[in-house]
Structure formats: structure tokens, C-alpha cells
């Protein structure tokens, strides 16, 4: 093997299914990114629009002084359609994005990239300045991956490999040494297919291969720290962390996303399809224990239980009314109580109305009281 092949073999031993090399240069989609920010489609993710970070995205060489090469790797996770649906007879279930079924990828990819840097130093026989990233730095990762020959940016905004679909996570290793670069992937193999745009529950995927994060279920259930907008709550369905719809319908995943999954990203018990009524009762200690080392911790307990309450409201199972009523009375987080009130209004019925009427006089938070009144009004109109 030549030097490049030995480096790639080292990356494969570390578990990376994808490997490519590119040079630091202005990203091809920088103008699209700037337009996206100007349109406010990044929602509350203000860190994306911070000018120092935008400048680094425009000039990747500024991330590491003297940067001359960038290794881009990918770590495969489970095809979101690889597990059967949980039996509905056991109660309403939520759905979790497949990348979050196992360990937090941040804790996997960056340490392995540092190991790869050590392998590279051994190969070259010299010290190598480097910086490792995965979804944490001011980088347009998909642009770098396309330039490194890994695939194209699809209509669903994800990087798609012609051999392995899109169910993988990207990582980057910035280096101050010259390595032979890959040929960029120039082809667009989405063709006339629009399945991802047609299937998106909230219509957040836009024709220019960007998305409006403010409508994206992944954003709403993870990055969004406040209330899920009223008009979007019914569209969230039973997703409690992230969303995989645009990947599930993609023909490239139906054909090619069935390869071996990194063991650390394999599904943990009761994570892909969590029982919603049980999840709603998670104490802070139970939440931290269940999701220790999981990306779900990013949503925090209050965000996760907010999502669970919305999913219960969408499930249409009135057996959840006592659980939601208990949450409305005793949950310390007002954010969760607001969404529990909404869910009771969605489920309707005498018991749900009684729970709302009982909670209203004792509620001290003005926004929760407003949500309760709205739910009661909705029930009155429906009746």
C-alpha cells in the first residue's frame, strides 16, 4: 500500500466507513449559507450567524494556522428503517432519530480522529499539528465531504454517498501537512426524485437544498429551547428526539444503508421506541441515568418531556390522561406543564377537561394558565 492507502486503512481500523481528503478552500455553497442566515432560517441557533464563525466557515484554513489538508471521515449508524415498529398494543410509543439510538457520537468520533492523527504522525515520522471536529466547529461539513469525494448534497440537505446512502455522521481532521486530495464528487444523483420534499411532515425542506430549521422536527425537538409553535405540534407526530422521515423515504437509503453499524451506535434498549407514558414520569435522576452518554442529553429533561407530552397529545390515546394530569399538577418545569395542558386539550373528553379545570386555579405560571384556558376553549368548541 502507498502512504494514502495506509492512512485510510488506519481510519477503517478505527471504525470509519468513509474516508476522503481535501484542501482548505472557500466552500462551494458559502453564498447559499449566507443567504440562509440572512433569511433567518437558522432559528434560535445564533452561534451559526456569529460573524467570527461565519468567517471561519468561509476560510477553513483559519481554523488551524498552516492547514494544508483536511481528512473527512464518516461513521455509519443504523438505518432508521432497520427496526420494526414497536407493538401498538403495549401503549403509545415515541420515535427517536436513529443516530441517537446509541452513544453520543461526539464522544466517539473526536477521540478516534485524535487516534488517527497519532497514526499519521507515526506514518510520517514527525509531529503534525491538527484539530479534530464533528458537528462542533465553524465548518461547513457537507461541503468539505463533497470536496473530499464522499458524495453529493441531496435534496433532503444531507450528504448522500452513492454506495452507502446518508446514514452516517461526519468528522474532520485539519492538518498542517500535505496529503493527496480526492477528486470532488460533482454528480447530482437525486435526479427528478422529490420523495423527501413530499414526505416532510412540516414542509421544512426547501427547493434550494436547504431547510427552514424553524419548521424542522429535529430543530423543534432538540435545538429549540422554548415552546413548539402551536401550528406545528400536530405535525411533530410521535417524534421525541429528531426525525428520520427524509432519510426513510430516500431511495439511496432503501438500497444502500444496510451495512454494518458501529457497535457504539447500536440501539440501546427502550431508546428507539420509548413508551411515552413511562417517559413522562422520568425524574431528573432517572433521565440522567437513562441517557447518560447519549445525545438526548442535549435536549435536557425539560425539552425531552415537552416532546413526550406533544407526542402523547398526538397519539390520541386517552389512557394517557391521568399521566398528563399528574404532570400538569406536579411537574416543576413550566415548559413541560404547558405542553401537557395542550396534550390534554388534544385528547379531550370529560377526564381531560376535569384535569384542566382542576389545575387552573392552582397554577401560578401565567403562560401555563394561558395554555390551560386555550385547551379548555378548544374542548368547548369541539363539544
Amino acid at each position: 500500500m502507498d502512504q494514502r492507502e495506509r492512512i485510510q486503512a488506519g481510519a477503517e481500523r478505527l471504525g470509519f466507513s468513509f474516508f476522503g481528503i481535501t484542501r482548505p478552500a472557500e466552500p462551494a455553497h458559502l453564498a447559499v449559507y449566507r443567504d440562509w442566515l440572512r433569511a433567518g432560517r437558522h432559528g434560535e441557533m445564533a452561534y451559526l450567524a456569529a460573524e467570527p464563525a461565519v468567517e471561519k466557515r468561509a476560510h477553513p484554513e483559519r481554523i488551524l494556522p498552516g492547514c494544508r489538508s483536511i481528512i473527512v471521515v464518516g461513521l455509519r449508524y443504523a438505518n432508521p428503517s432497520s427496526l420494526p415498529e414497536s407493538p401498538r398494543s403495549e401503549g403509545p410509543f415515541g420515535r427517536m432519530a436513529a443516530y441517537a439510538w446509541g452513544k453520543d457520537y461526539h464522544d466517539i468520533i473526536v477521540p478516534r480522529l485524535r487516534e488517527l492523527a497519532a497514526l499519521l504522525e507515526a506514518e510520517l515520522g514527525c509531529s503534525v499539528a491538527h484539530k479534530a471536529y464533528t458537528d462542533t466547529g465553524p465548518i461547513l461539513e457537507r461541503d468539505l465531504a463533497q470536496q473530499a469525494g464522499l458524495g453529493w448534497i441531496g435534496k433532503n440537505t444531507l450528504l448522500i454517498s452513492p454506495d452507502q446512502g446518508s446514514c452516517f455522521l461526519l468528522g474532520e481532521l485539519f492538518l498542517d501537512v500535505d496529503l493527496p486530495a480526492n477528486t470532488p464528487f460533482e454528480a447530482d444523483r437525486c435526479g427528478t426524485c422529490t420523495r423527501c420534499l413530499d414526505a416532510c411532515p412540516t414542509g421544512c425542506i426547501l427547493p434550494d437544498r436547504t431547510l427552514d430549521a424553524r419548521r424542522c422536527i429535529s430543530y423543534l425537538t432538540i435545538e429549540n429551547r422554548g415552546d413548539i409553535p402551536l401550528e406545528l405540534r400536530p405535525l411533530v407526530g410521535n417524534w421525541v428526539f429528531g426525525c428520520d422521515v427524509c432519510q426513510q423515504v430516500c431511495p439511496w437509503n432503501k438500497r444502500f444503508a444496510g451495512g454494518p453499524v458501529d457497535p457504539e451506535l447500536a440501539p440501546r434498549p427502550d431508546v428507539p421506541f420509548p413508551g411515552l407514558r413511562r417517559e413522562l414520569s422520568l425524574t431528573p435522576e432517572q433521565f440522567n441515568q437513562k441517557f447518560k452518554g447519549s445525545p438526548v442529553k442535549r435536549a435536557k429533561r425539560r425539552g425531552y418531556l415537552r416532546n413526550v407530552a406533544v407526542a402523547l397529545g398526538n397519539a390520541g390515546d386517552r389512557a394517557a390522561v391521568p399521566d398528563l394530569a399528574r404532570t400538569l399538577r406536579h411537574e416543576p418545569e413550566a415548559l413541560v406543564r404547558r405542553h401537557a395542558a395542550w396534550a390534554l386539550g388534544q385528547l379531550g373528553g370529560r377526564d381531560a377537561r376535569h384535569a384542566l379545570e382542576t389545575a387552573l386555579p392552582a397554577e401560578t405560571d401565567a403562560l401555563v394558565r394561558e395554555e390551560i384556558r386555550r385547551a379548555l376553549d378548544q374542548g368547548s368548541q369541539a363539544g
Side-chain angles (χ1 to χ4, degrees):
M1 292 190 291
D2 63 21
Q3 185 181 76
R4 177 202 160 79
E5 290 173 330
R6 289 193 295 271
I7 298 169
Q8 181 168 350
E12 291 172 354
R13 287 196 299 272
L14 289 169
F16 295 119
S17 304
F18 304 80
F19 179 91
I21 302 173
T22 188
R23 306 279 187 203
E26 182 175 299
H29 297 92
L30 179 63
V32 175
Y33 179 67
R34 289 187 182 278
D35 288 343
W36 181 76
L37 291 174
R38 279 192 287 269
R41 291 175 180 151
H42 57 299
E44 296 178 3
M45 296 181 288
Y47 59 89
L48 293 176
E51 195 54 38
V54 174
E55 280 303 302
K56 286 184 178 179
R57 286 183 169 89
H59 305 282
E61 71 278 2
R62 296 182 185 176
I63 292 173
L64 175 71
C67 178
R68 289 147 70 184
S69 302
I70 305 170
I71 292 177
V72 184
V73 297
L75 191 68
R76 183 160 38 210
Y77 60 86
N79 184 328
S81 300
S82 64
L83 293 183
E85 281 278 4
S86 293
R88 308 306 297 173
S89 59
E90 296 181 14
F93 284 80
R95 292 211 62 161
M96 192 86 66
Y99 80 86
W101 290 354
K103 187 177 177 180
D104 190 339
Y105 63 94
H106 299 91
D107 299 331
I108 303 171
I109 293 178
V110 170
R112 293 188 191 180
L113 283 171
R114 290 173 180 151
E115 288 186 58
L116 183 60
L119 291 174
L120 181 62
E121 288 181 328
E123 171 68 30
L124 300 178
C126 64
S127 177
V128 176
H130 61 274
K131 282 191 175 182
Y133 292 97
T134 178
D135 188 33
T136 49
I139 304 164
L140 295 183
E141 294 185 297
R142 294 166 306 162
D143 268 70
L144 290 179
Q146 185 171 11
Q147 290 303 303
L150 299 189
W152 76 99
I153 298 174
K155 291 180 181 178
N156 61 2
T157 80
L158 299 170
L159 190 85
I160 303 175
S161 161
D163 302 316
Q164 304 189 60
S166 65
C167 297
F168 59 94
L169 301 153
L170 292 171
E172 299 80 33
L173 188 61
F174 286 68
L175 303 161
D176 71 343
V177 294
D178 277 316
L179 295 175
N182 288 72
T183 301
F185 196 101
E186 301 290 356
D188 172 17
R189 299 192 182 176
C190 286
T192 59
C193 177
T194 60
R195 293 183 197 183
C196 56
L197 285 85
D198 299 336
C200 178
T202 62
C204 75
I205 303 175
L206 304 176
D208 64 351
R209 305 196 187 210
T210 68
L211 56 79
D212 189 337
R214 298 166 297 184
R215 297 185 61 83
C216 176
I217 292 174
S218 287
Y219 169 84
L220 293 170
T221 57
I222 303 174
E223 299 295 336
N224 168 40
R225 301 302 183 187
D227 292 83
I228 296 175
L230 281 168
E231 69 277 11
L232 296 179
R233 292 177 196 176
L235 306 180
V236 170
N238 67 339
W239 291 101
V240 295
F241 188 86
C243 177
D244 284 325
V245 171
C246 64
Q247 297 205 90
Q248 290 173 305
V249 301
C250 179
W252 293 96
N253 286 330
K254 290 179 179 294
R255 294 182 199 170
F256 300 117
V261 176
D262 190 277
E264 294 198 87
L265 294 174
R268 293 181 177 184
D270 193 39
V271 169
F273 302 103
L276 293 173
R277 293 174 61 188
R278 184 176 61 251
E279 296 296 278
L280 194 62
S281 67
L282 287 176
T283 66
E285 295 75 20
Q286 290 168 336
F287 174 82
N288 289 335
Q289 181 179 11
K290 176 172 182 176
F291 294 114
K292 182 179 181 181
S294 164
V296 179
K297 292 289 288 290
R298 180 164 181 79
K300 302 187 183 302
R301 174 183 174 273
R302 61 180 173 270
Y304 181 66
L305 295 193
R306 170 202 62 192
N307 304 338
V308 169
V310 170
L312 278 170
N314 289 329
D317 187 346
R318 288 182 176 172
V321 166
D323 305 276
L324 290 162
R326 186 164 47 252
T327 297
L328 184 57
R329 290 196 308 270
H330 302 300
E331 168 59 44
E333 294 283 356
L335 176 68
V336 181
R337 298 201 304 277
R338 290 198 292 274
H339 290 75
W342 176 85
L344 285 165
Q346 291 295 111
L347 295 178
R350 183 179 59 187
D351 292 342
R353 184 171 188 85
H354 176 72
L356 291 163
E357 291 173 337
T358 302
L360 183 57
E363 180 55 62
T364 59
D365 186 277
L367 293 177
V368 179
R369 291 199 303 270
E370 181 182 340
E371 195 77 60
I372 292 173
R373 292 191 185 99
R374 186 184 297 117
L376 288 168
D377 289 343
Q378 176 182 326
S380 297
Q381 293 168 6

